[in-house]
Amino acid sequence: MELQTTKNSPPNATEILQALSKNIDLAKNLVGKCLKGADLIPDLEVKSILQQLEGVIKNLGSGLSLIPCSMFKNQEYAEVAVRSLSREMKNVHFETSYIQASEPKEMLQIPPLEHLLDEEAETDLYSVQDNFSLDNLQSTNIPLSIDFIKDESYSGHGNHEKSSTWSLKAFPKVGKYMEPQYPSFFCPLTRKLMDDPITIDSGVTYERWAITEWFKKFEDGSGDAICPTTGQKLASRTLSTNVALKTTIEEWKERNEATRIKIVRDALSVANPDSVILEALTYLQHLFKKKEYNKVHVCNIGMIPLIAQFLEHKDKDVRCATAEILQLLAEEDDESKEMIAKTDAISRTIKMLSTNHLPERHASLSLLLELSRSELLYEWIGSVTGCILMLITMKYNHYHDALAAKKADEILKNLENAPKNIKRMAENGLLEPLLKHLIEGTEEMQLEMGSYLGEIVLGRDTITFVAERASPALIKMIHSGNSLTRRAAFKALVRISSYHSNSSILVNAGIVSIMIEEIFTRKIYNEPMSSLGESSIILANILESGLALENLKVNSYGHTMVSDYVVYNVVHILKNTAADEVNFNLIRILLCLTKSPKAKSIIVSAVKESEVSYTLIELIDSPHEELGIMSIKLLITLAPDMGHTLADRLCKTRGQPENLIKNSSERNRITEKHAVSVNFLAKLPHQDLTLNLALFHKDTVPIILQTINEIQSGVRMGKFSNSYLEGLVGVLVRFTTTVCDPQILSLARDHNLTSVFTELLMTRSSDEVQRLSAIGLENLSAESINLSKPPPASSNKGRNLAKIHKLLLFPSLKGKRLQVCFVHKGVCSSQTTFCLFEAKAVERLLTCLDHENVAVIEAALSAVCTLLNDKVEVGNSVRILSGMDAIKHVLKVLREHRQEGVRQKSLWVIEKFLTKGEDSYVSEISKDRSLSSTLVSALHHGDIKTRRMAEKILKCLNKVPDFSTTEFLS
């Protein structure tokens, strides 16, 4: 597949593949014949099979040699392995003279690595010393030569016997690659290779410790010391180091150990069973521990990439052994660590951290710990995805694996030397390093840590901890005078102050007075940044947390946040600054200050005096949408105290007030800007005729009605739809307060506002819409008595003139018979005279009396009361309301609610029923058992108006003597 898909595929790729596949099938068939019954196959047939197998293998070698060098790209070891295998296959030769009928299977089983070391094969993939055969080596008189081949100091995974067996099995003819051992290398006493050769007076050389032990036999005075080899007496026991021989033996060892390393490399370069790979890696560890220089040699011949690839081996023991070898190599110096890092070893090692196999996890941690000691690799290791998080998790899970927790902690401490790693640790929940360097580090480190603290998102469980530890250091950095350090400190404080739970900590640290100084008085003209923006953000964040403003001192002169000093300075800066961000935060500060009655009155005075209201109105249309929203919110808050002033200045501003209605750039999406804009208009004084006429002349009412219909029908929806609807209805209500103006009256009639409010009265999604609708109906109903005119007299004289006059007054009644309203004593309709009975609104108003919201109940009662005032036919109105069970609704309201406004209106309605209605109403009302107690309570605890109404009702019910109110109350 690789040959077929690569861009540089050779033209004969298909032929190569087909030839290899064909020969592999042939080889399988031949080997299969032998394995099925080799002990029954005649010698001649076995010889024939081996000859065929030899030919097949040579063909495979020829096929491999056809693969061009370009296919291997940078895979040097793959190319070396393939080329070597190709040469060996092409030169393969099986000796049949050793085949015996009694043990053919054993002769056919080739040891795992023997094919690399065959007599006829190339002696090594890389140049080594002259070759000597095992047979020649054993035929000499060299003592214990087999120990050299076995490398008896190697202990491997098992006992000595097993390890020695492995050495012979894995490298059965390793002796032919080794430089022979010379007799002079061996001590005559120990018959082992000498490490510290010493020459005595007889000229014979021994191992130092061995000859020293020999001399101890003669210390008791039993005679002169003699040479154990020659037997001659020694005149002196002087020991002289045989420097030449010692040097020769050391060089000989180095050459043969280098050969062993190269053979291991060759074994790892080709596909081998897992057991062979594991044994080769373990033997390599043994060579490292035996001599430090072997690690240098492994690095010099470029084995690190070859070894590192086994970190992804499928066998966990192989991966574990590989990590241990790389750790030993990394101990050498930073250069070897860097060589390891240039492979994929770091990412693979970090991947191994998540294993459940403890030895593998511990080995990977040990390797990572060794690599983390290099200054060059601090950031390299920390940048690997998931590394920091996994180490922190291990650090905290010490109860699960104490050793892993300890090593992970050591690694993290090493990684702290790279500032970017400290940031990564903080992002993953380990904040202590960042805070430690912020408090104790150099100015440069504090600068970097402050910047990081301003960028990371803090978790809720660490917010308070960070604020307590970092605030003093950050405040100190602000006073340092270094502009870059100050910028970092401000950035961090902005982040910390954004969590309201930190406000008390910051206030106790003295942050408020510092921010006030930065906003009002600090001027550093040579500083490349202005602290005004950051200071205003921090102060606004703290104030929005809801702290008691009266207790926040801002300087040593006794000023607090609610003093004239603060308010007037903020207003002055707001009027004169041009930066949107600064204006936004200054308005946030003023909006927080309006929560204090004292500060709010000062703000109102300051805004009036400085005419900063023009600035606030101009900011409504700012491209910075959040600034416009915040400006409108402040205007809404100020409206109850200076509404007429704001309405006047709004009308004098170009594009206003219509832009507050026509600002819908996205027709189907309702934004917060839409909602606060219309609510601002709704909160301004409703009786302001100038503003109402301005809205009328800008044709805003059709837009309002259309938008209300879209919201009600679900065409326009969103998070702010209810608030937007409330504002739109509020703007409609303001027109109902000025229907005395002919233009507004015409508007109310043309758009049939009575019917609009009647429909909105049943809106269940918003209590405020219901309340406003009831208020609108109340305002319109109050004008019904003035608009309802009696029909003209029906006399012959002037009949045509009267008819014309009637049609002019009631154009909607053209072609209809005129009917006189029993309540308003004239011709009524819902559209022209706003009659609630004609609009069928009374039933809905009475339904609202069962509402849970007292404000809705009070507004509905107020609307009903317009039908019982002295200007209308109260008696008729009482009879009509009685037919709608109005008195039952009112009595229920009186029983369930004690709010003064609701109680007064309920008592007023009951009084009208008792005084203007029939005697039957007295009986009906007196049946309510709770009424008496309610009236007594009102008489005792109500205000003067409530007490008088309660007394009057009690008189009507014959519950008290008929004294005058003055006498009774006195």
Side-chain angles (χ1 to χ4, degrees):
M1 289 174 65
E2 184 68 22
L3 285 170
Q4 290 174 336
T5 57
T6 183
K7 294 181 179 178
N8 300 320
S9 176
N12 58 340
T14 303
E15 291 79 0
I16 295 173
L17 294 170
Q18 290 175 345
L20 289 173
S21 178
K22 180 179 179 181
N23 283 287
I24 288 172
D25 291 337
L26 290 173
K28 287 181 179 178
N29 292 332
L30 292 170
V31 174
K33 289 180 180 180
C34 296
L35 295 179
K36 287 180 180 178
D39 54 339
L40 303 176
I41 300 175
D43 290 351
L44 292 177
E45 188 173 347
V46 170
K47 184 175 182 180
S48 174
I49 291 173
L50 288 178
Q51 288 176 348
Q52 294 178 56
L53 187 59
E54 184 177 302
V56 169
I57 293 174
K58 287 181 178 180
N59 289 337
L60 283 169
S62 299
L64 291 175
S65 66
L66 295 175
I67 300 176
C69 296
S70 60
M71 297 303 304
F72 298 99
K73 298 181 180 178
N74 297 325
Q75 304 297 323
E76 176 186 353
Y77 292 100
E79 182 179 4
V80 170
V82 171
R83 296 296 180 226
S84 175
L85 185 60
S86 174
R87 287 194 295 270
E88 292 183 44
M89 284 181 156
K90 288 192 291 186
N91 297 324
V92 71
H93 176 66
F94 293 120
E95 294 291 345
T96 58
S97 59
Y98 295 103
I99 300 177
Q100 298 178 10
S102 60
E103 47 183 8
K105 289 183 180 180
E106 287 75 3
M107 296 305 298
L108 286 171
Q109 291 177 349
I110 303 174
L113 298 179
E114 189 172 5
H115 63 284
L116 289 178
L117 307 171
D118 191 271
E119 286 182 345
E120 299 300 324
E122 184 176 311
T123 58
D124 196 348
L125 299 181
Y126 304 87
S127 60
V128 294
Q129 302 296 331
D130 295 336
N131 301 327
F132 297 86
S133 69
L134 178 62
D135 296 335
N136 292 337
L137 182 61
Q138 290 177 330
S139 66
T140 65
N141 295 323
I142 300 175
L144 298 177
S145 61
I146 194 66
D147 291 335
F148 167 75
I149 300 171
K150 294 179 179 179
D151 192 7
E152 63 180 2
S153 60
Y154 168 64
S155 59
H157 290 292
N159 56 35
H160 178 74
E161 181 181 355
K162 180 180 178 181
S163 303
S164 299
T165 303
W166 170 84
S167 296
L168 289 174
K169 181 180 178 181
F171 305 104
K173 298 184 180 179
V174 69
K176 66 180 286 186
Y177 296 93
M178 300 299 177
E179 189 173 334
Q181 304 173 72
Y182 301 96
S184 58
F185 289 0
F186 292 86
C187 175
L189 289 174
T190 64
R191 298 178 64 80
K192 293 183 179 180
L193 201 65
M194 290 185 287
D195 292 321
D196 190 4
I198 298 297
T199 303
I200 62 174
D201 195 43
S202 64
V204 181
T205 301
Y206 299 92
E207 183 69 62
R208 179 185 291 274
W209 69 267
I211 194 62
T212 301
E213 290 293 325
W214 172 265
F215 284 156
K216 287 181 180 179
K217 298 178 180 180
F218 304 96
E219 290 179 353
D220 57 357
S222 58
D224 295 332
I226 62 174
C227 174
T229 300
T230 63
Q232 69 182 64
K233 292 183 179 180
L234 300 175
S236 171
R237 297 185 185 183
T238 304
L239 305 179
S240 301
T241 301
N242 192 332
V243 178
L245 181 59
K246 184 176 183 178
T247 303
T248 302
I249 292 174
E250 291 296 328
E251 292 176 352
W252 176 85
K253 287 181 179 179
E254 289 180 6
R255 289 194 297 272
N256 283 309
E257 285 178 355
T259 301
R260 288 189 179 98
I261 290 172
K262 290 183 179 180
I263 292 172
V264 171
R265 177 187 62 185
D266 298 340
L268 297 176
S269 299
V270 296
N272 271 311
D274 295 348
S275 59
V276 175
I277 293 173
L278 181 60
E279 288 291 342
L281 291 172
T282 308
Y283 183 67
L284 196 59
Q285 289 184 54
H286 157 71
L287 291 177
F288 291 167
K289 296 174 181 177
K290 184 178 179 182
K291 191 171 185 179
E292 284 291 319
Y293 182 76
N294 289 334
K295 294 192 286 186
V296 178
H297 184 67
V298 165
C299 294
N300 290 341
I301 65 175
M303 278 187 67
I304 287 180
L306 173 63
I307 297 170
Q309 70 181 5
F310 288 101
L311 288 174
E312 284 192 323
H313 199 275
K314 63 181 182 297
D315 187 89
K316 60 180 180 295
D317 293 326
V318 172
R319 296 195 300 270
C320 187
T322 303
E324 292 171 353
I325 289 175
L326 291 176
Q327 179 198 349
L328 293 173
L329 290 171
E331 291 173 353
E332 188 62 26
D333 52 28
D334 283 349
E335 185 177 353
S336 60
K337 290 182 176 68
E338 189 174 358
M339 292 172 65
I340 294 173
K342 287 181 179 179
T343 68
D344 292 334
I346 291 179
S347 59
R348 292 172 180 174
T349 302
I350 292 169
K351 184 178 179 181
M352 289 164 60
L353 296 178
S354 59
T355 181
N356 292 325
H357 186 229
L358 287 182
E360 182 181 355
R361 185 193 305 164
H362 294 163
S364 59
L365 280 168
S366 298
L367 171 57
L368 202 60
L369 176 59
E370 191 60 45
L371 294 175
S372 70
R373 294 190 173 106
S374 172
E375 184 178 351
L376 300 172
L377 303 183
Y378 294 150
E379 201 167 310
W380 197 328
I381 296 172
S383 64
V384 177
T385 303
C387 174
I388 299 290
L389 178 59
M390 294 177 70
L391 291 172
I392 293 173
T393 303
M394 287 185 180
K395 170 185 168 69
Y396 288 139
N397 291 341
H398 54 84
Y399 55 86
H400 179 68
D401 189 345
L403 179 59
K406 180 181 178 182
K407 288 182 179 293
D409 187 44
E410 292 177 7
I411 296 170
L412 289 169
K413 287 179 179 177
N414 291 338
L415 298 182
E416 281 182 28
N417 292 297
K420 288 186 178 179
N421 285 339
I422 297 176
K423 180 185 178 184
R424 295 183 182 106
M425 292 176 195
E427 289 173 338
N428 287 284
L430 184 60
L431 287 158
E432 187 59 37
L434 187 150
L435 296 174
K436 181 183 72 176
H437 286 83
L438 178 69
I439 297 168
E440 303 172 2
T442 62
E443 184 176 357
E444 182 180 356
M445 183 61 75
Q446 286 182 327
L447 168 62
E448 200 147 10
M449 295 303 102
S451 299
Y452 290 158
L453 192 56
E455 294 173 3
I456 61 175
V457 178
L458 301 173
R460 292 188 177 276
D461 54 339
T462 59
I463 293 171
T464 304
F465 172 72
V466 171
E468 290 174 345
R469 291 285 307 278
S471 297
L474 293 172
I475 291 174
K476 186 177 179 181
M477 288 167 64
I478 289 177
H479 287 301
S480 69
N482 183 308
S483 60
L484 294 177
T485 304
R486 279 167 48 80
R487 183 190 293 271
F490 274 118
K491 188 177 180 181
L493 285 170
V494 167
R495 173 69 66 181
I496 292 174
S497 66
S498 64
Y499 299 93
H500 290 168
S501 57
N502 292 334
S503 296
S504 297
I505 298 171
L506 293 172
V507 169
N508 293 334
I511 194 72
V512 173
S513 59
I514 296 172
M515 294 302 103
I516 288 293
E517 180 185 359
E518 293 288 335
I519 296 172
F520 294 168
T521 62
R522 186 176 178 89
K523 301 294 180 183
I524 304 178
Y525 296 103
N526 61 345
E527 192 172 275
M529 57 85 69
S530 171
S531 62
L532 180 59
E534 288 79 5
S535 301
S536 59
I537 293 174
I538 295 168
L539 186 59
N541 287 344
I542 293 173
L543 297 181
E544 285 177 347
S545 66
L547 296 175
L549 302 177
E550 293 78 3
N551 300 328
L552 292 181
K553 293 185 178 181
V554 300
N555 55 30
S556 58
Y557 300 107
H559 294 139
T560 65
M561 280 303 303
V562 297
S563 64
D564 294 15
Y565 169 74
V566 173
V567 173
Y568 275 88
N569 271 290
V570 172
V571 170
H572 175 74
I573 297 172
L574 178 62
K575 182 181 178 182
N576 293 283
T577 188
D580 286 348
E581 182 182 0
V582 175
N583 285 334
F584 175 75
N585 292 297
L586 291 175
I587 294 174
R588 288 175 62 199
I589 293 172
L590 290 174
L591 199 55
C592 292
L593 294 179
T594 58
K595 297 175 184 178
S596 166
K598 177 182 176 182
K600 185 177 181 181
S601 63
I602 300 173
I603 292 172
V604 171
S605 300
V607 170
K608 286 181 177 179
E609 293 174 14
S610 64
E611 297 188 351
V612 77
S613 54
Y614 283 116
T615 303
L616 293 172
I617 292 171
E618 289 172 358
L619 290 175
I620 291 175
D621 292 326
S622 170
H624 190 302
E625 185 169 331
E626 290 186 355
L627 174 58
I629 293 170
M630 194 58 64
S631 180
I632 296 172
K633 287 182 177 179
L634 179 58
L635 290 170
I636 290 173
T637 306
L638 298 177
D641 298 285
M642 50 181 300
H644 288 288
T645 301
L646 295 178
D648 178 65
R649 292 175 181 177
L650 182 68
C651 293
K652 293 179 180 178
T653 302
R654 185 176 180 180
Q656 297 296 358
E658 64 273 14
N659 282 354
L660 294 172
I661 299 293
K662 301 177 180 179
N663 61 358
S664 180
S665 57
E666 300 179 51
R667 295 294 301 170
N668 294 327
R669 189 172 74 94
I670 300 173
T671 65
E672 186 179 8
K673 179 75 174 290
H674 298 151
V676 296
S677 296
V678 294
N679 274 284
F680 173 45
L681 283 177
K683 299 297 182 183
L684 291 173
H686 288 184
Q687 295 83 6
D688 195 298
L689 184 59
T690 303
L691 177 58
N692 291 352
L693 288 174
L695 291 169
F696 168 74
H697 290 303
K698 297 297 181 178
D699 294 327
T700 58
V701 175
I703 298 174
I704 293 172
L705 293 174
Q706 179 185 349
T707 308
I708 289 174
N709 289 332
E710 290 174 352
I711 295 174
Q712 293 285 75
S713 61
V715 175
R716 298 189 67 178
M717 301 177 66
K719 176 181 178 182
F720 302 99
S721 58
N722 272 350
S723 178
Y724 191 30
L725 179 61
E726 290 167 5
L728 293 171
V729 176
V731 176
L732 281 183
V733 169
R734 67 178 304 112
F735 292 111
T736 66
T737 62
T738 54
V739 288
C740 55
D741 182 86
Q743 298 178 85
I744 303 299
L745 176 61
S746 176
L747 178 149
R749 285 173 169 173
D750 291 343
H751 296 287
N752 198 0
L753 292 187
T754 311
S755 297
V756 171
F757 288 128
T758 301
E759 292 298 322
L760 290 171
L761 200 61
M762 302 311 294
T763 301
R764 298 299 182 185
S765 60
S766 172
D767 292 354
E768 181 64 11
V769 169
Q770 291 180 289
R771 187 187 74 85
L772 291 170
S773 299
I775 292 174
L777 290 173
E778 176 192 359
N779 295 337
L780 292 173
S781 178
E783 290 295 320
S784 295
I785 190 64
N786 300 322
L787 299 174
S788 181
K789 302 296 182 181
S794 55
S795 60
N796 293 332
K797 186 178 181 181
R799 179 175 296 179
N800 292 334
L801 184 61
K803 185 177 181 181
I804 295 173
H805 179 67
K806 174 187 66 176
L807 292 176
L808 289 175
L809 286 175
F810 309 105
S812 61
L813 300 179
K814 183 177 181 180
K816 299 180 181 179
R817 182 180 177 183
L818 296 178
Q819 293 183 351
V820 176
C821 177
F822 292 106
V823 177
H824 297 115
K825 300 175 287 186
V827 178
C828 278
S829 74
S830 63
Q831 184 171 358
T832 57
T833 65
F834 318 130
C835 179
L836 298 186
F837 289 116
E838 291 291 332
K840 308 298 181 185
V842 179
E843 295 90 337
R844 298 189 179 188
L845 287 170
L846 293 175
T847 302
C848 287
L849 296 182
D850 294 327
H851 206 284
E852 295 179 355
N853 191 324
V854 176
V856 176
I857 296 173
E858 185 173 357
L861 276 172
S862 297
V864 172
C865 287
T866 62
L867 301 174
L868 296 170
N869 64 45
D870 294 335
K871 294 181 180 181
V872 302
E873 289 292 338
V874 180
N876 293 336
S877 184
V878 166
R879 282 191 292 274
I880 297 173
L881 290 172
S882 177
M884 299 178 180
D885 290 330
I887 195 63
K888 291 183 179 179
H889 289 286
V890 175
L891 288 171
K892 182 181 179 182
V893 170
L894 192 61
R895 286 194 304 270
E896 296 178 355
H897 299 284
R898 292 292 180 268
Q899 288 79 5
E900 201 66 30
V902 173
R903 188 160 60 174
Q904 285 183 4
K905 290 181 173 61
S906 300
L907 292 174
W908 191 84
V909 172
I910 293 172
E911 179 195 343
K912 292 295 182 182
F913 267 78
L914 292 173
T915 58
K916 301 295 184 179
E918 300 173 356
D919 292 340
S920 59
Y921 300 142
V922 176
S923 175
E924 181 181 355
I925 293 171
S926 61
K927 290 179 182 178
D928 191 301
R929 295 182 179 181
S930 63
L931 179 61
S932 295
S933 61
T934 303
L935 292 171
V936 171
S937 176
L939 192 63
H940 292 165
H941 306 292
D943 61 18
I944 186 67
K945 186 176 180 180
T946 303
R947 290 164 63 189
R948 285 177 177 172
M949 285 191 292
E951 178 194 0
K952 195 171 183 179
I953 294 173
L954 286 170
K955 287 179 181 179
C956 293
L957 296 174
N958 296 320
K959 299 293 183 180
V960 295
D962 189 10
F963 298 133
S964 66
T965 303
T966 305
E967 289 178 346
F968 183 79
L969 292 177
S970 61

